[in-house]
Structure formats: C-alpha cells, structure tokens
Amino acid sequence: MFQHPFQCLKKLPKSSYLCNDILVTATGPIIFSYALDDGRVISSWPSAYFEVVAEPEIIHEATERIEGNIEPPAKKLKTSVPDNLSENSSADIVIESPHGKRRKKRSAKGAPLPLILKLASTSDGKYLVTVTSEDKCIRVFEVSPQGQLRLLSERIMPKRLFAVDVTPDDSTILCADKFGDVYSLPLLVPEAGTTNLEPEGGQLAANEDKKEISPKPFVPAASTLTVHTKRNLQALQNQLKAQPKPSEKKTLDFTHELLLGHVSMLIDVISTTIPPMDDCQKSRTYILTSDRDEHIRVSRGIPQTHVIERFCFGHKEFVSKLCVPSLLPECLISGGGDDSLFVWKWVEGLLTQKVDLRTHVECLKNSLQHDSDQDGGLETTHDQLRNHEEEPIIVQLGGPGNINNSQKEKRQGTDWQGHEPSADNSEGIAVSGIWDFSLQLIPGDDTGIILVACEGIPAIFSFLLNEQNQLKYHQTIPVSGNILDIAVVDLNIIISVDNVYVPGSTKQFRNISADQTVLQTFQYSSEKRIFMEGSQYSTAIDSINQEGGFEMDDSSLKALGSVLYNIERLRKRGFEDEA
C-alpha cells in the first residue's frame, strides 16, 4: 500500500524557547512533530487515531525471545497505543527498527478526520496553528520546548478557509475564506473567569445578545378580512398552519472580527511590517491578499484594515502565492496561473519585473523526456540544468504597460514522462509555492534566493534576488516526485515529494514499492553557490522516509488527488479561441 505523503511541512523557528530543531508535518488528518537531529517522532495528534501493527516476524521474534532462544534487542519496540488516550492528548509514538530494517507499520483506525490544509506558527515556535478542510476548523496547539503538541482551542468558522497567517506580534490569527472575507481571531482563547477584551467592532457581544432574543412568531401580512378569493384563502390557511423554520445562520461563540472582504475567492493572505525609516517614525503593518480575479490588495493593518492603500494590477490569471522576503520587506514576489513571476514594489503599487517561468518548465520537461528515452534518470538532469540561465523579462518601473510578452507560447498537451496524454495536462502553469531562502550568512552581492514550485512539476526553480529587487534565474533542482511543500532550515531545504503519483502527472499512480521517499533534503553550497543533494539532516530524513506516515486505504487513495492538487482548478474556464 501507499504511504500517505506529507501535504504540509513547517519548520518551527529557532528560538531560546525550543530545545531542538523541530519539523512539523501534516499527513492526511494527522500532525507529527519530528526531531531533526535524529528523525525520531516526538509527538502526534490525534494520538488515539493510530494503532501500530506488529508484523509477523516481530511476533515470532518476541516468542523466541521469551523462550530464551535469542538475546533481547538493544531497543524496545512499542506495539500498541494506550487505550486511555483521547484526540486532545499527545504521546510519543516509538517506531524504532534495529539494523535500519522496517519492522512495523502504522495504520489508521477510527472515524475519518478532516484533512489538514495549512500550517502556521508564531515567531518563537511556541504555538502552532492548523486549518482543516471539511469541518472549517482552526486549531491552536501549544508546543512544549521538547516538541510535544497540546491542543488548546478549536474554533469553527462559517465558511471553508483557504489561507491562514499569524500577525508579526504573535497575538492574532488571520484567516481567509472562499467567499473573500478575512477574519481576525485572538491566538489564545481567554480562559473562563477572565476578562475578555473585545476589539472595537468585534462581534462576540452582538452574538451573545442575539442568543438571548427568542425568535418572533410568524404573522402573515394578510388576514381573512383582506383575502377574498378561495385560492388566496387556502394559501393563508397553509401559512398559518406552517411552523416557522429555525434560522440556519449560525452565530460564532468566540471573539472574531471581520477585517476586509473581496468580491472573489481569496487564495492567500500574509501580514507584514515595514520598519521605520528613522527614529521619528513607527513601523507600519499591512495585510496583503490575493484572489482568483487576478487582484493583489494592500490594506492597512489592524485596526485600520478597512483602508485600502492600493492594488497591484498586472496578473492575467489567479494569484495563488505571495512572498515578502525577510531581508527586503518592501519587495513582493507573486505567482499563480500566469507564465511569469511578478516582482513588485508593493508599497508603491509598482510592478518592477516579470521573470519568465515557462521557459524553465519547458526546459525541464525536454530534459526529462530525453533522459527517459535514454534511461538516464533524474540525477543526470541536475548537471544539465545547473548552468542553464535565461535572461528575465524586464519591464519599466511604474506599471505593467511595457511588459514584453514575446516569450509567451502556447503549451502543447503532451505527457513528457513517456505516457499517453491525459486530462491532467493543463494549459497553463500553476504556482503552488514561493519560499524565501535567506543568504545573509554568506557574503556576496545577492541577498537571498526565491524558491518556486509549480503544481505537478517534480523540480524547484530558484532565483537570485539582489538589493535592487531584481530576480535572476539560478538553478533547477529536480527531485523524485511532484513537490508538495518545502521547509527552509538555515542553508538547507527539506522537500515533501509526492510518492503516489507519477512525477509530472496528477492522475496516474506509481507502481507500489517497499521503499517510498516522502522527503528529500538539499544544502546550499557556499563554494559552488548551488543546491546540492544531501545535508546535515540527511540521517533524520532517511529515518522519516523509512518509517513513513501511515498506509492509505482505497477511499483515501481515491480522494488524494483533490487534496494534493487543487491550484489549477482555480483557473477560469472560458471560451477559447480556436487556432
């Protein structure tokens, strides 16, 4: 059976609070926290959702040990989970295998749980925020200094959520739903008996007042004195007999505030701060949002979110990802359904550069197709693509009017892995992730690297970012499967790859194998100035790959595609011109 891939990764920020480097992963509905020094499982939630099944050779080995025929192993194997664990508790799941051999497997038990869509954390790594799909729930966990997870609160929102972020002051959660609204919630729910400081314009007090008011009985406007025909009289009698329907609108019984709204589906939201220019000024906080209608909106931070500073116009398709580099807070990199990355001076609303992305995607496809024909494998493409550089498309500062579109070309719907063409070959690129990789520890002209992943593409595209807010193509990093998420750890990156679907496809399954790679790691070489496979965390990553998450059943496998690949579905399907 297939192991469930990790659809979300989150490296908790380094701080004096945490004792170790901790990687948090989401696999289906389950959260794991791992220690990056050795790859051991620190905690999982919900713990009672798993039963660890001992394989036959383990049972036989235990029997032989009891009879005294063999010596006891150096490590203890835990083959069950205590029955007294609840979903809100946490515990260690010990999965240890002597001699590096896979000794047992996890299997899910109990009722299905909602899938985890997003992970976010505070700047000190003390709190973890998760968003789940079906139940539209925001959960807040407290992370102990050792990495244990403890559930603090569960708050169900009225609409399905697409994005979540934590404000720079680590006090407020921002969440965006599919109807275009952005809400703010306090990170920590006030305990019973404490004073609840309701923000100005908040809705908790209003909701409490509504609960005390009983619904008024229904009284029709007409009466027997105003109705004269037989048909209308019968309709009036039916209205009087009918029971009033209860209100379907659910009130939220926790502190929340509606900050802003779009007229389109919101896809991403980030909160960022601009440092003061001099000692007389204060830092300014903004909320950046993107939607399905090609808009990027810049709003003031809390409590002035109703004030729209400006819009960033230029995209022709949906905007799925926003990234503000940590070292250049006035720079914004955006991507979505267009063939290019967009670089903005978002404080001024100016588009400064468009960097072609399709050229590198097509180059990767051609290289992989050539290697597939010659049985070359993915390793040979790394050297071929390492020195490939393409000049970015530059536009004049001040707006998108002078954008050069000469490099745009229509994508042919062919399968570049040697398989027959299928419906998953979309007509456009869908950016699934943009990550900031800082190079502040390495002297040089460039201040950072921007990592970009596209949906259904088994490679990372890296771009150098300089102090003039200019991107330049740097490297294509092929991996063993389609990229799901990336965690940046100092000068290392940990990549979650899809072990279920064929690389380059979102429909065709792989052949089931015993060894399934779900994580890969790369390290940036300061000498060669490129990413090279392997890092100081290779031992931990190998341990996580060996144990995996849990095995999927047929129903989970059938629904996996819609969970992992949902960005391209945001593209609007209108009438296409016939060539």
Side-chain angles (χ1 to χ4, degrees):
M1 294 295 292
F2 285 111
Q3 299 293 323
H4 199 295
F6 296 132
Q7 72 266 20
C8 297
L9 299 180
K10 184 65 180 180
K11 165 61 174 64
L12 297 183
K14 281 189 174 181
S15 65
S16 58
Y17 173 77
L18 297 176
C19 299
N20 302 310
D21 287 331
I22 298 174
L23 177 68
V24 180
T25 67
T27 171
I30 311 301
I31 305 173
F32 286 103
S33 62
Y34 294 94
L36 283 179
D37 54 353
D38 56 4
R40 71 183 185 278
V41 178
I42 301 176
S43 181
S44 68
W45 184 92
S47 301
Y49 191 69
F50 281 110
E51 57 181 359
V52 182
V53 182
E55 295 184 357
E57 59 268 22
I58 296 180
I59 300 176
H60 175 72
E61 182 177 327
T63 304
E64 294 291 327
R65 190 181 307 114
I66 293 174
E67 296 177 356
N69 297 331
I70 60 175
E71 296 180 359
K75 298 182 179 180
K76 181 188 293 184
L77 292 175
K78 180 178 179 181
T79 59
S80 63
V81 177
D83 296 334
N84 58 353
L85 291 179
S86 63
E87 289 188 359
N88 296 347
S89 62
S90 62
D92 293 346
I93 295 181
V94 181
I95 307 291
E96 297 175 328
S97 304
H99 310 298
K101 182 181 179 181
R102 188 179 182 89
R103 302 293 290 177
K104 57 184 178 177
K105 60 185 179 180
R106 301 187 188 99
S107 62
K109 68 176 183 178
L113 296 177
L115 300 176
I116 297 172
L117 297 179
K118 301 291 181 181
L119 295 176
S121 70
T122 55
S123 59
D124 58 0
K126 187 176 182 180
Y127 298 100
L128 178 72
V129 181
T130 68
V131 171
T132 49
S133 55
E134 288 83 356
D135 59 351
K136 300 166 284 189
C137 184
I138 297 178
R139 292 178 173 87
V140 178
F141 295 84
E142 182 182 20
V143 184
S144 70
Q146 294 74 29
Q148 293 281 346
L149 302 176
R150 184 172 71 91
L151 181 64
L152 296 181
S153 63
E154 294 180 328
R155 284 167 280 186
I156 299 178
M157 300 301 294
K159 304 297 180 183
R160 183 176 178 179
L161 302 175
F162 269 73
V164 66
D165 195 18
V166 180
T167 55
D169 60 0
D170 293 338
S171 64
T172 306
I173 301 173
L174 301 180
C175 57
D177 63 25
K178 68 176 185 178
F179 277 77
D181 295 329
V182 175
Y183 289 90
S184 68
L185 295 79
L187 178 68
L188 301 179
V189 177
E191 298 180 358
T194 60
T195 302
N196 183 11
L197 299 178
E198 175 70 16
E200 183 179 357
Q203 302 178 5
L204 179 59
N207 291 340
E208 292 178 350
D209 295 339
K210 292 179 182 179
K211 292 181 180 179
E212 299 177 358
I213 301 176
S214 58
K216 296 181 180 180
F218 172 73
V219 178
S223 66
T224 55
L225 298 178
T226 58
V227 174
H228 303 288
T229 64
K230 183 177 180 181
R231 178 180 298 177
N232 291 343
L233 183 61
Q234 183 64 34
L236 177 61
Q237 293 176 353
N238 293 336
Q239 292 179 4
L240 294 174
K241 292 179 182 179
Q243 296 294 331
K245 296 182 180 180
S247 176
E248 297 181 357
K249 185 177 181 180
K250 297 180 180 179
T251 58
L252 305 181
D253 57 353
F254 52 83
T255 303
H256 67 286
E257 183 179 3
L258 178 62
L259 299 181
L260 56 93
H262 285 226
V263 294
S264 177
M265 179 188 300
L266 272 178
I267 307 177
D268 201 10
V269 56
I270 57 175
S271 178
T272 186
T273 300
I274 297 295
M277 301 297 295
D278 51 50
D279 297 336
C280 299
Q281 296 181 349
K282 295 181 179 180
S283 59
R284 296 168 292 168
T285 302
Y286 296 89
I287 298 177
L288 309 182
T289 51
S290 64
D291 60 26
R292 192 184 181 189
D293 285 343
E294 310 95 34
H295 299 149
I296 300 175
R297 172 175 164 178
V298 180
S299 305
R300 291 186 183 179
I302 300 173
Q304 295 182 319
T305 54
H306 59 280
V307 178
I308 302 176
E309 286 289 337
R310 57 192 48 84
F311 286 91
C312 296
F313 293 118
H315 281 275
K316 302 300 182 182
E317 296 287 348
F318 60 87
V319 186
S320 56
K321 288 298 175 182
L322 304 174
C323 178
V324 175
S326 57
L327 299 181
L328 296 174
E330 295 185 358
C331 175
L332 171 67
I333 295 96
S334 62
D338 295 285
D339 291 347
S340 304
L341 293 177
F342 288 64
V343 185
W344 309 83
K345 281 189 175 181
W346 61 269
V347 178
E348 305 173 16
L350 300 180
L351 175 63
T352 61
Q353 185 185 14
K354 283 182 64 178
V355 181
D356 181 42
L357 193 59
R358 176 170 294 282
T359 300
H360 310 299
V361 174
E362 297 294 340
C363 178
L364 174 72
K365 295 178 183 179
N366 296 334
S367 298
L368 291 178
Q369 179 64 52
H370 180 268
D371 293 336
S372 177
D373 295 339
Q374 297 184 358
D375 297 328
L378 287 178
E379 286 78 6
T380 59
T381 64
H382 189 279
D383 294 333
Q384 296 175 6
L385 298 173
R386 178 181 300 170
N387 298 321
H388 170 71
E389 293 186 359
E390 186 74 23
E391 291 298 327
I393 303 176
I394 306 297
V395 300
Q396 298 297 326
L397 181 64
N402 296 324
I403 297 175
N404 181 9
N405 295 322
S406 61
Q407 297 191 21
K408 289 188 176 181
E409 59 184 53
K410 186 175 180 181
R411 180 180 182 181
Q412 301 296 327
T414 58
D415 195 324
W416 48 276
Q417 280 292 333
H419 307 290
E420 295 182 359
S422 58
D424 64 322
N425 291 308
S426 59
E427 290 295 332
I429 294 174
V431 175
S432 59
I434 304 176
W435 297 270
D436 174 30
F437 186 89
S438 175
L439 291 179
Q440 58 182 340
L441 301 178
I442 300 178
D445 297 333
D446 299 296
T447 61
I449 290 179
I450 298 300
L451 304 175
V452 181
C454 298
E455 190 173 76
I457 300 298
I460 305 172
F461 305 100
S462 64
F463 298 84
L464 296 176
L465 176 65
N466 58 27
E467 295 180 352
Q468 288 73 38
N469 295 359
Q470 294 292 309
L471 283 180
K472 180 181 179 181
Y473 174 78
H474 171 244
Q475 184 183 1
T476 297
I477 311 171
V479 294
S480 62
N482 300 333
I483 295 177
L484 303 180
D485 203 354
I486 294 177
V488 178
V489 190
D490 296 331
L491 295 180
N492 309 277
I493 56 175
I494 300 175
I495 307 169
S496 173
V497 296
D498 182 4
N499 60 300
V500 177
Y501 290 94
V502 171
S505 174
T506 60
K507 299 292 184 182
Q508 185 176 359
F509 293 104
R510 296 173 183 246
N511 295 324
I512 300 178
S513 61
D515 298 329
Q516 300 183 31
T517 300
V518 293
L519 292 179
Q520 285 186 259
T521 180
F522 291 80
Q523 185 175 21
Y524 184 81
S525 173
S526 58
E527 297 179 357
K528 297 183 179 180
R529 294 189 176 272
I530 60 172
F531 288 95
M532 304 185 67
E533 189 168 7
S535 70
Q536 65 187 80
Y537 304 110
S538 296
T539 302
I541 298 305
D542 292 341
S543 176
I544 298 174
N545 283 329
Q546 182 181 1
E547 303 302 342
F550 67 93
E551 293 186 349
M552 292 184 294
D553 54 18
D554 293 338
S555 60
S556 300
L557 188 62
K558 184 178 180 181
L560 183 64
S562 60
V563 175
L564 301 181
Y565 305 108
N566 48 33
I567 303 297
E568 177 60 34
R569 300 180 182 182
L570 298 173
R571 192 181 304 276
K572 297 178 181 179
R573 305 296 180 184
F575 293 101
E576 299 181 355
D577 298 333
E578 295 183 0

